[in-house]
Amino acid sequence: MDERTQAMDMQTRQKSIYAALLVLSAAGMFFLYPLVNRPLVLLHRAQTLASEGRVSESDALIVRAVKEGARSVDAVLRAAQILLETGEGRQAFSLMDQTLSETRSTRSGLAGQMAGLMDAYGYEDEALALLLRTDPEGRSRGERMYLADLFRRQERYGEALVEYDRLLAEDPTNAEAALGRIETLAWAGEVETALPLARELVRARPEDRAARLTLARILSWSGRMDEAESEYRRLLGEEQ
C-alpha cells in the first residue's frame, strides 16, 4: 500500500471515528437532557397539555417543575397561584419568598405582584413580608404605595405615614399618596388633623370622587353630619 493510499485510509478512519462520536454525543444528549433539565422538560410538557385543554394535568406538572428547580418568573407565579387555589398558602409563600431571595435582578414590580397574589387569597401578613424582603431603594412606586396600604390595614399607621411622606417628598403632586396619607391620619384617630387636609385636596381636585368620598367619611367621623350628607349628595349627583 503506497503512502497516498495509507493517507486516504487514515482520513477515512478519522472521519468514521468523528461521525461515531457525533452519533454518541447526540445519543447522550437525547438520554441525558431529560434528566439534567427535567424541570424544563416538565414545563414544556405542561405547555403542551395546556394547549390541548388538559388544564388540571398541566397545573400539576407546573407545580412539580417549579418544586424541582424551574425558576422562571411566570412559572413561579403560576405555580404559586395553583398552590393558593388548592389551599396550600404556606407552600406558595415559601416558593415566592425563596425565589425573591435567589433572584438578584428581578423585573420591576415582581415583589408587588407576588404580594398582590398572596393578598388576594387572604394572606395579608405574608404579602407584607414579601414586600419587606425587597431593597427599599429598589422598590417601584407602585410597590411603595402598596406597602403603605398594607401597613395601614395592619394598623401600623406610623410606618404607613413614613411611606406616604417619602412618596410625597419625591412627587408633591402625587394625589394618590396624599389621599392615602389623609385616610391614614383619620384611621389613626387624628380626624381633626385629617379634615382640613381632605378639604384642601377636594378644593384642588373637585372632580376626584375618591377624595370627595374620603372627605365625606371624615366629616361623619368628626360628627359633622350635615356636611357629610351634603358631600354624599354631591357624589350621588343630587347637589351641585
Side-chain angles (χ1 to χ4, degrees), residues 172-193:
T173 66
N174 187 337
E176 186 180 1
L179 184 59
R181 184 176 183 276
I182 292 167
E183 289 180 331
T184 301
L185 286 168
W187 287 18
E190 299 182 39
V191 174
E192 295 304 320
T193 301

Side-chain angles (χ1 to χ4, degrees), residues 49-184:
L49 290 172
S51 68
E52 295 173 355
R54 298 159 67 179
V55 178
S56 60
E57 294 174 74
S58 173
D59 286 350
L61 281 185
I62 290 172
V63 173
R64 280 177 56 191
V66 170
K67 285 182 176 180
E68 292 187 23
R71 281 297 183 272
S72 72
V73 170
D74 291 338
V76 168
L77 288 171
R78 179 58 185 152
Q81 183 177 0
I82 294 164
L83 290 169
L84 286 164
E85 288 173 351
T86 55
E88 298 180 44
R90 294 305 305 173
Q91 286 192 44
F93 170 72
S94 296
L95 171 61
M96 290 189 283
D97 188 51
Q98 181 182 357
T99 301
L100 284 178
S101 67
E102 292 175 349
T103 308
R104 293 184 179 179
S105 177
T106 60
R107 71 188 187 194
S108 177
L110 175 59
Q113 193 173 357
M114 289 181 169
L117 191 56
M118 292 300 301
D119 194 15
Y121 284 86
Y123 294 90
E124 191 175 287
D125 291 343
E126 289 78 5
L128 181 58
L130 288 172
L131 279 178
L132 288 175
R133 171 175 280 285
T134 60
D135 177 7
E137 299 302 320
R139 289 178 192 139
S140 67
R141 171 177 160 173
E143 286 174 337
R144 285 183 290 160
M145 284 292 302
Y146 190 19
L147 179 59
D149 178 62
L150 285 171
F151 276 142
R152 182 176 58 173
R153 282 194 265 152
Q154 299 232 328
E155 299 183 6
R156 295 166 64 171
Y157 301 125
E159 290 165 283
L161 288 170
V162 167
E163 293 299 326
Y164 287 127
D165 286 342
R166 286 174 179 167
L167 286 160
L168 288 167
E170 292 179 6
D171 179 11
T173 66
N174 187 337
E176 186 180 1
L179 184 59
R181 184 176 183 276
I182 292 167
E183 289 180 331
T184 301

